[in-house]
Amino acid sequence: MMDVISNNLFWILAVVTGALWLTAAFYKIRFCLHMIQLEGYKNKNYINWLEEFGYKVFTNKVKMSFIAISILSVLYLISSLFTKNLIIWIGYIVLWSLLILFSINFKKEKAKKELVYTKRAKRLLVSNFIVNLLELALIAVVFFLVVGLKYYYPVILLASAVIYYFIPQNMILANILVRPVENRVNKYYYDKAYNKVRSFKDLNVVGITGSFGKTSTKFITAKILEEKYNVLKTPESYNTPMGISKVINNTLNDEHEVFVVEMGARQIGDIEEVAKLAGPQIGILTAVGPTHLDTFKNIDNIMKTKYELIEELPTDGIAIFNYDNEYVRKLADKTFKEKILYGMEDVEKLDIYATDIEVGEMGSTFILNDKEGNKVKCNTKLLGEHNISNLLAGAATGKALGLTLEEIAEGISKVEPVPHRLQLINPGTGVIVIDDSFNSNPISSKAALDVVSQFKEGRKIVITPGMVELGEQEEEANEQFGRNIAKVCDYAILVGKNRTKPIYRGILDEGFNKDNIFVVSTLDQATNKLQQIVKPKDVVLFENDLPDTYNE
């Protein structure tokens, strides 16, 4: 065979197959990189994703190609024992190339949150390529030294197919290898931000955390405080140490008087880390509820984690609690630092509270009260009674920083709905759309349905994929969600044939008309179905939009 195969032919085929393998590997690595980025670059979260959604990367095309290459390789090795035919050798390589080409998913799927090629992402991309190429090089060297590369080149191609198949697992190894570099980079930017935020002696830092409501409360609080101060807030959902460090290092300056920081968590210790970074003097705890139970496991762990913000406040700091939330109430009662309690229930115990609440289709009005007996009427464009709770958190912060109730009321009137959080949209078709597609949970989904029930005219239509990250409670929570839908809505469009089964059962439990339930696979299909049934004056609720890691 060595004599039959010319060097030119060998190297031409080697270059072609090598380029094809690199192309296939790139597309697969890019997808896995996107998923691990969405999982916060944490191997544990990524491994959990692989266990549940591995079919997204181990597609039928990939499996079929790998099986076919394995069978072809066995047949080739058997035939090579009896003949060293050049046609068979070339035929194997051509078939291998076609099967690898067949396995590649060239179509770029529409993502809600696109892959961002940050420096960290680029380092991990390179690291993954290095891991795969080193494995391939090691196999190639062994075969070259032992039996000669030309004759066994098809076996090298089989090995490369195996490595290609297991690229998702190699992403874990690549992440481990690059971790020391990332730790040093992260520490540099963390320390830089830590020192910078403390260099502004007159800066007031407000930390906000909670199982839900923290992003809305952040935007509300910042808008209210703008009545008196120059305010910087962390953008969108920047709530991790590196996200907050980036804002501090790139944006915060000595002109800012207040820095409002959202603090997120997926496991115990996360809030402590970001609170130590930002150094807040004021801490707001909006709510504790069953979110991220896949990582927290139980409510007690969530309470402990959220309370880390209060524990990190200085001795003269101010803790602000939503006293209507039963779990937050327990945390507030054990706190001996200065505290401000807000809510709408048990008003005699509260420092800031709302009365005379009137919730309407286009907003709400209420009387804002403090414990000194001062009061002022407030008007808000925000929908739902739960948003009044978020407004009270902002009002309590304003009170702590010296704003009058009149200034607070003026700020409340200027608050705009946060995108994708009960955002009222009028597309000009006579149909009212309520976009509540950001990260639904049992309490917020119930609140969204309560808002829909406020509309007196038109039919009520909900489009939802259900709720995720609720651990063992997920199935029951979605069944209850279905029961709540049946009590309010006339039509339900469920996105995802597997995950929405509990919602479907819950809807039927309430005697809902089965003909008014539609189960589709994608949001595009849901939109098409909506166009078939919707009429002017109808109210359409988009409740939750699953992250790319969860889409079926």
Side-chain angles (χ1 to χ4, degrees):
M1 179 68 77
M2 294 277 294
D3 298 330
V4 177
I5 304 171
S6 69
N7 282 331
N8 287 339
L9 176 61
F10 170 75
W11 286 113
I12 288 172
L13 291 175
V15 169
V16 170
T17 53
L20 190 59
W21 184 87
L22 286 172
T23 301
F26 170 76
Y27 278 95
K28 202 167 195 177
I29 290 173
R30 185 179 68 176
F31 181 79
C32 293
L33 179 64
H34 189 195
M35 294 303 105
I36 200 169
Q37 185 180 77
L38 292 174
E39 294 294 349
Y41 296 103
K42 295 181 178 179
N43 276 345
K44 182 179 179 181
N45 296 344
Y46 175 71
I47 291 170
N48 290 338
W49 176 84
L50 274 180
E51 290 176 353
E52 187 170 1
F53 298 101
Y55 61 85
K56 289 186 175 185
V57 67
F58 296 109
T59 63
N60 289 333
K61 288 205 309 181
V62 169
K63 290 179 179 178
M64 289 168 57
S65 299
F66 180 67
I67 292 171
I69 287 174
S70 300
I71 293 173
L72 281 172
S73 299
V74 171
L75 293 176
Y76 169 80
L77 288 173
I78 293 173
S79 69
S80 68
L81 296 175
F82 304 100
T83 179
K84 295 180 175 60
N85 189 294
L86 178 62
I87 301 301
I88 295 177
W89 188 86
I90 294 176
Y92 172 87
I93 295 174
V94 170
L95 287 174
W96 179 93
S97 300
L98 292 174
L99 287 168
I100 288 293
L101 189 63
F102 171 73
S103 73
I104 302 174
N105 182 17
F106 289 103
K107 182 180 178 182
K108 189 174 184 298
E109 296 184 8
K110 184 179 179 182
K112 302 172 186 69
K113 189 174 182 180
E114 296 285 353
L115 170 64
V116 181
Y117 284 101
T118 61
K119 291 181 180 179
R120 178 172 187 172
K122 291 176 183 177
R123 287 191 291 267
L124 184 54
L125 178 69
V126 172
S127 176
N128 196 300
F129 264 111
I130 291 173
V131 167
N132 290 291
L133 291 173
L134 283 176
E135 291 174 351
L136 188 58
L138 179 62
I139 295 172
V141 168
V142 169
F143 274 104
F144 179 77
L145 293 176
V146 176
V147 291
L149 187 58
K150 286 185 179 180
Y151 180 69
Y152 278 93
Y153 187 61
V155 181
I156 301 298
L157 292 183
L158 171 62
S160 68
V162 173
I163 293 170
Y164 167 66
Y165 186 80
F166 288 105
I167 278 175
Q169 283 79 5
N170 275 343
M171 181 63 76
I172 299 167
L173 177 58
N175 200 28
I176 293 173
L177 292 177
V178 83
R179 186 174 297 160
V181 175
E182 298 307 329
N183 288 341
R184 291 192 65 178
V185 170
N186 290 347
K187 187 176 188 306
Y188 169 77
Y189 287 112
Y190 184 99
D191 290 346
K192 182 180 178 181
Y194 179 94
N195 293 325
K196 182 179 179 181
V197 77
R198 283 159 180 78
S199 69
F200 305 119
K201 302 303 180 184
D202 297 325
L203 180 68
N204 291 292
V205 181
V206 179
I208 302 173
T209 193
S211 298
F212 42 87
K214 55 185 176 290
T215 302
S216 295
T217 299
K218 173 184 65 181
F219 281 96
I220 288 168
T221 300
K223 179 58 68 175
I224 291 173
L225 295 179
E226 284 172 4
E227 290 298 306
K228 186 173 181 178
Y229 298 103
N230 186 336
V231 181
L232 174 67
K233 62 182 180 296
T234 50
E236 299 171 352
S237 293
Y238 276 57
N239 56 24
T240 64
M242 287 303 99
I244 296 169
S245 294
K246 184 177 181 179
V247 176
I248 294 172
N249 290 327
N250 296 347
T251 310
L252 185 66
N253 59 57
D254 56 9
E255 294 182 359
H256 293 119
E257 299 169 290
V258 179
F259 182 33
V260 182
V261 185
E262 177 184 344
M263 300 179 177
R266 292 179 67 94
Q267 56 193 20
I268 293 174
D270 283 354
I271 298 297
E272 179 183 4
E273 184 178 8
V274 291
K276 285 183 181 299
L277 166 63
Q281 298 88 30
I282 297 174
I284 304 173
L285 217 174
T286 62
V288 170
T291 58
H292 297 308
L293 281 174
D294 55 331
T295 53
F296 281 119
K297 305 306 180 185
N298 57 59
I299 288 288
D300 287 341
N301 285 338
I302 298 175
M303 292 174 66
K304 180 179 179 180
T305 303
K306 301 305 180 185
Y307 196 68
E308 289 168 2
L309 170 58
I310 309 303
E311 291 176 322
E312 288 302 317
L313 294 176
T315 54
D316 60 346
I318 301 174
I320 299 176
F321 296 99
N322 175 10
Y323 210 64
D324 289 346
N325 182 275
E326 61 174 311
Y327 303 112
V328 175
R329 189 182 309 124
K330 293 177 182 178
L331 297 175
D333 288 343
K334 75 172 188 177
T335 300
F336 292 98
K337 293 175 181 176
E338 181 180 352
K339 54 191 173 185
I340 299 176
L341 309 179
Y342 70 88
M344 292 170 277
E345 305 167 8
D346 297 327
V347 295
E348 67 280 356
K349 299 178 182 179
L350 305 178
D351 302 288
I352 291 286
Y353 57 94
T355 58
D356 302 297
I357 298 168
E358 295 183 11
V359 178
E361 296 180 359
M362 300 298 168
S364 305
T365 63
F366 61 95
I367 302 298
L368 176 64
N369 306 262
D370 65 19
K371 65 179 180 180
E372 288 82 22
N374 302 306
K375 59 181 62 178
V376 65
K377 185 174 183 179
C378 296
N379 297 280
T380 177
K381 304 170 190 174
L382 303 185
L383 301 177
E385 188 169 300
H386 73 290
N387 262 322
I388 294 178
S389 178
N390 297 332
L391 290 166
L392 290 173
T397 310
K399 184 78 171 175
L401 289 175
L403 274 71
T404 66
L405 289 191
E406 288 71 25
E407 288 173 325
I408 292 170
E410 182 64 23
I412 286 173
S413 70
K414 297 176 182 177
V415 173
E416 297 289 336
V418 179
H420 313 304
R421 292 168 175 84
L422 281 181
Q423 182 183 14
L424 187 65
I425 301 172
N426 190 341
T429 59
V431 177
I432 296 172
V433 176
I434 300 175
D435 179 0
D436 194 43
S437 59
F438 185 86
N439 198 21
S440 184
N441 61 72
I443 296 176
S444 66
S445 64
K446 176 70 165 56
L449 290 169
D450 289 342
V451 168
V452 170
S453 70
Q454 297 293 324
F455 289 82
K456 306 305 178 187
E457 293 187 86
R459 301 169 304 168
K460 315 299 188 296
I461 304 169
V462 63
I463 299 176
T464 183
M467 297 172 287
V468 296
E469 298 180 335
L470 299 178
E472 296 178 355
Q473 297 185 22
E474 186 170 299
E475 185 169 342
E476 172 54 33
N478 277 310
E479 279 194 27
Q480 183 58 51
F481 181 33
R483 289 190 282 271
N484 293 337
I485 287 173
K487 295 172 184 176
V488 174
C489 297
D490 301 290
Y491 291 90
I493 303 176
L494 308 181
V495 185
K497 297 182 179 180
N498 294 319
R499 284 196 162 272
T500 60
K501 288 179 180 178
I503 304 175
Y504 193 94
R505 290 196 300 269
I507 295 175
L508 291 182
D509 284 347
E510 294 294 322
F512 197 82
N513 185 349
K514 189 175 182 180
D515 294 335
N516 289 357
I517 310 174
F518 306 98
V519 182
V520 297
S521 299
T522 66
L523 185 58
D524 287 340
Q525 292 177 8
T527 303
N528 291 334
K529 177 56 67 176
L530 174 65
Q531 291 172 348
Q532 295 171 18
I533 63 175
V534 73
K535 296 178 180 179
K537 296 186 178 181
D538 284 351
V539 181
V540 181
L541 171 66
F542 285 85
E543 183 61 24
N544 207 14
D545 187 9
L546 298 187
D548 297 290
T549 49
Y550 276 90
N551 289 341
E552 293 185 2

